[in-house]
Amino acid sequence: MGLSTTTDQPAEPAVDPQFTGTAAERPATRRRIYPWLVFALTFALLLSDYMSRQVLSAVFPFLKAEWALSDSQLASLTSIVALMVGLLTFPLSLLADRWGRVRSLILMAVLWSIATLFCAVAANYEQLLAARFLVGVGEAAYGSVGIAVMLSVFAPRVHSTLSGAFMAGGSFGSVVGVSLGGVIAVYLSWRWSFAAMAVLGLILVAMFRAVVTERRLAAHAVDQDAAPVARPDSRPIRVPVSTLFTNPAVWCAYLGGGLQIFTSAVLLAWAPSFFNRYYGMAPDKAGVIASVFVLLIGTGMVVCGMITDRVSRRNPAGKWSSAIAFCVISLAALGIGLQLETGAAQLTLIGIGAFFSAGSSGPTAAMVASLTHQSVRASALGSLTVANNILGLATGPFVIGILADHRGLLGALQLAPLVYLPAIVALFVGRRMYAAGLAKLAAQSAAAAAKA
């Protein structure tokens, strides 16, 4: 949930009462520092989000041994979170656009942190599943609302880079959650793994609450033309929510974005178990090694976002081409690597595939932002989050878990890269429709302005 870039009240004066510099220094200093502070705190909470979500992967071996769980049961503990995110993201994003994005982000972070504490005290599979359900409810709209808050204070020319970096927080959070969670589980217990993530989340949300406010975000908001938003005497322009679904290019971005994240979600969930079973590593070492590959996923999201902004600087449609290229590279590397025998060659190809596996995330988020009006941008990114979770984060680990029960984990993993094929098709179609999509957005904005 969270704060809207436009509100029904007049914008507050762009003066921070805590600033002590001269009037000439104040605007430049504020605009230079505060957006990055917003990014840092929003990113830190995203780390906490995914640490709480992915720490489960590090304790899979402990849960399997203690409660005799099947792979499909283990997968359900992961997928229930992504499923709730997929189901609730859009309605909660709509609510956030109206109720206030900052307040919504704070409420969500408190909820997922407390739910993670419930995971630490679960007595059986059913209780843990219920706690993970609540984690999913708390995390539901954080990605969409958080990225809308962050993008609202930065110019569009850096949106792909920042979107990729922000979304990479999921991978970086997973790295810390998996590696740290595995070590804590070995030396203390798997319950302390959950407890540590919960305490960290509560600390971070207190810091966020102290620094990020709706007033300050409104004062630093940047419109699509990179000019400061300043409408103190006029009503904000709002387009209908229906515009999120009447633009075919946006649908292609939703579909391509959701499908391209399927395989990276599989790697996030099953990499520790893969190294535990096929490389004979102890759970703590398997978690640490798996975290290296998860780190590659996150690093790839950042680097691919930077590459996309560079190649699309003069041709915005280049974002689509970049997203397609990243999918093709990951498909080839993982498709070949998972067929090889265990060893250096396999690890190298899996590493390359992991690096590009979610590289299209930043470009697709930037494309959705560029194709939707700012008044419904959190809802638009919420729709993208729904696609990411329903088509990728929820479906990927669960489908692979079911297949693993029948043909082994490796055999299931070998099928995962094939999902890139429909993702590539969707992105290719979206590229063809992009110009028409921009024209449709302009017409929708003009119609809304005429009614305001």
Side-chain angles (χ1 to χ4, degrees):
M1 307 193 228
L3 162 81
S4 177
T5 52
T6 59
T7 63
D8 293 332
Q9 290 79 32
E12 294 289 334
V15 175
D16 190 337
Q18 297 181 2
F19 185 85
T20 58
T22 67
E25 292 170 339
R26 183 180 294 123
T29 303
R30 185 180 61 249
R31 294 190 184 284
R32 192 167 54 243
I33 297 175
Y34 190 72
W36 290 106
L37 189 58
V38 172
F39 174 83
L41 290 171
T42 309
F43 184 82
L45 272 180
L46 188 73
L47 292 178
S48 169
D49 179 328
Y50 275 83
M51 288 168 67
S52 297
R53 184 188 299 199
Q54 294 299 139
V55 66
L56 177 73
S57 299
V59 302
F60 269 0
F62 298 93
L63 295 175
K64 189 175 184 69
E66 184 172 331
W67 291 343
L69 302 182
S70 67
D71 283 342
S72 57
Q73 286 177 309
L74 292 173
S76 69
L77 294 171
T78 293
S79 294
I80 187 64
V81 176
L83 179 61
M84 297 315 301
V85 171
L87 292 175
L88 296 178
T89 289
F90 183 69
L92 293 182
S93 296
L94 282 175
L95 181 61
D97 273 334
R98 279 130 181 95
W99 187 57
R101 293 176 186 166
V102 170
R103 285 177 291 178
S104 302
L105 291 178
I106 292 169
L107 178 61
M108 286 187 289
V110 170
L111 179 55
W112 85 56
S113 297
I114 292 176
T116 304
L117 279 179
F118 290 160
C119 293
V121 298
N124 52 45
Y125 166 75
E126 289 74 19
Q127 290 183 13
L128 183 56
L129 184 65
R132 294 287 290 176
F133 171 89
L134 291 176
V135 171
V137 173
E139 295 180 354
Y142 183 81
S144 59
V145 180
I147 198 171
V149 167
M150 182 268 295
L151 292 181
S152 72
V153 293
F154 286 96
R157 67 178 179 274
V158 293
H159 279 188
S160 287
T161 298
L162 292 174
S163 297
F166 182 83
M167 298 174 76
S171 296
F172 296 140
S174 299
V175 167
V176 180
V178 170
S179 57
L180 182 60
V183 172
I184 293 174
V186 168
Y187 289 98
L188 296 176
S189 76
W190 62 264
R191 297 182 185 278
W192 278 105
S193 298
F194 286 110
M197 306 306 158
V199 171
L200 177 61
L202 292 172
I203 293 173
L204 288 174
V205 74
M207 295 173 60
F208 183 89
R209 175 65 183 86
V211 175
V212 181
T213 66
E214 298 187 10
R215 175 185 297 181
R216 289 177 176 176
L217 286 176
H220 292 80
V222 177
D223 209 341
Q224 286 294 335
D225 60 0
V229 176
R231 295 193 185 99
D233 301 319
S234 63
R235 294 176 57 192
I237 298 174
R238 288 189 178 277
V239 301
V241 175
S242 61
T243 60
L244 301 178
F245 308 104
T246 57
N247 193 325
V250 176
W251 273 103
C252 291
Y254 293 156
L255 185 59
L259 291 173
Q260 65 88 30
I261 212 165
F262 180 100
T263 304
S264 59
V266 169
L267 294 175
L268 290 173
W270 288 107
S273 295
F274 173 75
F275 289 112
N276 174 250
R277 298 182 194 183
Y278 296 98
Y279 282 80
M281 297 179 183
D284 56 340
K285 185 176 181 181
V288 172
I289 298 301
S291 69
V292 174
F293 288 84
V294 176
L295 183 62
L296 286 172
I297 295 175
T299 304
M301 294 171 76
V302 177
V303 174
C304 290
M306 295 173 66
I307 293 172
T308 299
D309 277 334
R310 172 79 56 157
V311 302
S312 62
R313 184 168 297 174
R314 292 183 174 84
N315 178 21
K319 292 182 175 67
W320 297 89
S321 300
S322 297
I324 293 170
F326 302 146
C327 289
V328 171
I329 294 171
S330 189
L331 169 63
L334 290 174
I336 296 172
L338 289 169
Q339 298 292 333
L340 300 178
E341 297 292 330
T342 57
Q346 182 185 63
L347 294 178
T348 299
L349 284 173
I350 291 177
I352 294 172
F355 184 86
F356 290 99
S357 64
S360 302
S361 297
T364 53
M367 288 183 286
V368 169
S370 70
L371 288 163
T372 53
H373 192 269
Q374 63 176 348
S375 65
V376 291
R377 190 158 299 142
S379 301
L381 293 167
S383 300
L384 177 62
T385 302
V386 170
N388 288 346
N389 282 271
I390 295 297
L391 299 177
L393 294 170
T395 305
F398 187 66
V399 168
I400 296 304
I402 292 176
L403 292 174
D405 282 339
H406 294 87
R407 54 178 292 158
L409 180 58
L410 179 59
L413 291 174
Q414 290 170 342
L415 299 177
L418 296 178
V419 181
Y420 281 118
L421 295 174
I424 291 169
V425 172
L427 292 169
F428 179 79
V429 173
R431 189 184 189 285
R432 299 290 297 272
M433 296 182 171
Y434 185 57
L438 291 176
K440 189 159 192 174
L441 170 63
Q444 292 167 343
S445 300
K451 295 178 181 179

